[in-house]
Amino acid sequence: MSKAAPASRPQRKNEGTKKGATSSQPTAPGPSAAVMPTYARQDLVFERGEGSWLVSTTGERYLDFASGVAVNALGHAHPRLVAALSAQAAKLWHTSNLYRVAGQEALAERLVESTFADRVFFCNSGAEACEGAIKAARRYQFVSGRPERWRIVTFKGAFHGRTLATLAAGGNEKYLEGFGPPVAGFDQIAYGDHAALEAVIGSETAAILIEPVQGEGGVRALPDPCLRGIRELCDRHGLLLVLDEVQCGMGRTGKLLAHEWAGVAPDIVAVAKGIGGGFPLGAVLATAEAAKGMTAGTHGSTFGGNPLATAVGSAVLDAILEPGFLDRVLVKSSQLRQGLEGLKDRHPGVVEEVRGRGLLTGLKLRASLAAADVVRAASQSEHLLLVGAGDNVVRVLPPLNVEDGEISDALARLSRVLASAAKSAG
Ligand SMILES: *Cc1c(COP(=O)(O)O)cnc(C)c1O
């Protein structure tokens, strides 16, 4: 195979001479065909960010209430995160897990101090954290002399990631299609259906895996008594309670971890997204008992918890655990909630329900209006960034340190979007 000679700017394979080229405009190249088109992306490129704002390559400012899908917990270019990353970048990036990693030990100690957990395994993403949580749960039953217990109960509308096991756990037919037989061992029931849950537990059940607030599935918060009931069921049947807090954890609901609202103690929790503030980082948190099968050689990750990632993770955690930070998240979330309820009252023809907890909020739209269209219109006509979700929900996910004025600004923009959408929806 021969490569074209370098041009004055990188040649795009979808322009110019190639068959199938649609545009050869040099000033505004379209998306590169070199990137596998697994995302239906908005045609927007950002150059920099500051706090709750993103600036596009064309110089336009966008109010970011998508937060990179609940990842940029402290907004963009937070001075403390920039300082932590830069300082670490000048010293040491990566050593592998063949050696002790000081930053990993420091972050693990801090997580253990401030959560239910005694042990932490670091990885790079939410799917990897969920995968690790599933493995730890199966392994726990195995080393406890119950190797026949390997099945895990999951819930409709769940999202646990895009690896083969987490896809099977999520059970979304659309995502599973064409990828071969789903990984075995997941029994799915309706979210919050306690009777179905009791019925599905059998002699092979190892654990129950649930998101305290479903994110991708449509921002559905599990009522606290439900989570307490699930804990009791786990205790009665010798099962582990495994929570996926990849989206709802790390301060998003106003508590460091969302299950704290229900006052239950889980056995294993997967976190990611917000914990790295934008740097890829995930973690499996577990009690000493639940982690007892995860001995040397049972699991691993080359990059997991490397010095760069854990330096940033520690800076994020420091900020979230600073006195008053989570209280402010709660104040902001009630301001946002009230505003969203107001939008529902003003636009009853298009908004059906306000959902969520803390700053993990969403608007469930009526069938006459598609969430994806509202997300696109908000971005195009109001420069407000939002995220779609299942069940025709628009997610509203500001950074946790969003300014009060930015919340009212976003609500005003969203109100105009809904008003014109209501008009065109008739
Ligand atoms: C995003 C998400 C995942 C997957 O995380 P990735 O980092 O994309 O692998 C898993 N669970 C939940 C609840 C999520 O929101």
Side-chain angles (χ1 to χ4, degrees), residues 125-128 130 159-162 211 216 244 246-247 272-273:
S125 69
E128 205 186 349
C130 290
F159 182 78
H160 301 299
R162 300 287 201 144
E211 293 157 85
E216 309 287 326
D244 179 350
V246 168
Q247 191 157 160
K273 290 202 166 98

Side-chain angles (χ1 to χ4, degrees), residues 2 16 58 124 150 173 203 232 265 342 356 368 372 389:
S2 68
T58 52
N124 310 284
W150 62 285
E173 295 293 335
S203 58
E232 281 163 25
S368 55

Side-chain angles (χ1 to χ4, degrees), residues 77-103:
H78 191 288
R80 281 170 66 171
L81 303 197
V82 173
L85 183 62
S86 315
Q88 187 59 48
K91 286 192 288 190
L92 183 66
W93 292 19
H94 180 83
T95 59
S96 86
N97 286 303
L98 299 175
Y99 315 100
R100 289 173 53 194
V101 177

Side-chain angles (χ1 to χ4, degrees), residues 319-364:
I320 293 178
L321 291 177
E322 216 158 64
F325 184 91
L326 289 172
D327 295 332
R328 286 195 295 280
V329 170
L330 285 178
V331 172
K332 292 172 217 280
S333 43
S334 61
Q335 187 197 342
L336 178 60
R337 181 87 193 191
Q338 271 176 22
L340 292 174
E341 294 287 355
L343 291 185
K344 178 182 157 238
D345 294 342
R346 269 203 301 288
H347 310 286
V350 287
V351 180
E352 187 176 314
E353 194 186 359
V354 180
R355 290 187 179 175
R357 190 159 214 177
L359 290 176
L360 174 44
T361 56
L363 289 181
K364 158 106 172 118

Side-chain angles (χ1 to χ4, degrees), residues 115-195:
T115 70
F116 76 98
D118 308 306
R119 305 279 184 270
V120 184
F121 173 85
F122 290 105
C123 53
N124 310 284
S125 69
E128 205 186 349
C130 290
E131 188 95 18
I134 290 165
K135 285 181 71 177
R138 286 184 176 180
R139 182 87 187 159
Y140 163 81
Q141 299 290 4
F142 177 82
V143 298
S144 301
R146 299 183 289 265
E148 74 285 359
R149 292 201 184 191
W150 62 285
R151 303 191 68 84
I152 295 179
V153 180
T154 63
F155 297 84
K156 296 228 157 63
F159 182 78
H160 301 299
R162 300 287 201 144
T163 62
L164 289 169
T166 57
L167 275 182
N172 186 329
E173 295 293 335
K174 206 173 69 194
Y175 296 161
L176 281 160
E177 188 185 44
F179 295 112
V183 170
F186 298 97
D187 299 308
Q188 197 164 64
I189 57 161
Y191 194 62
D193 185 342
H194 203 77

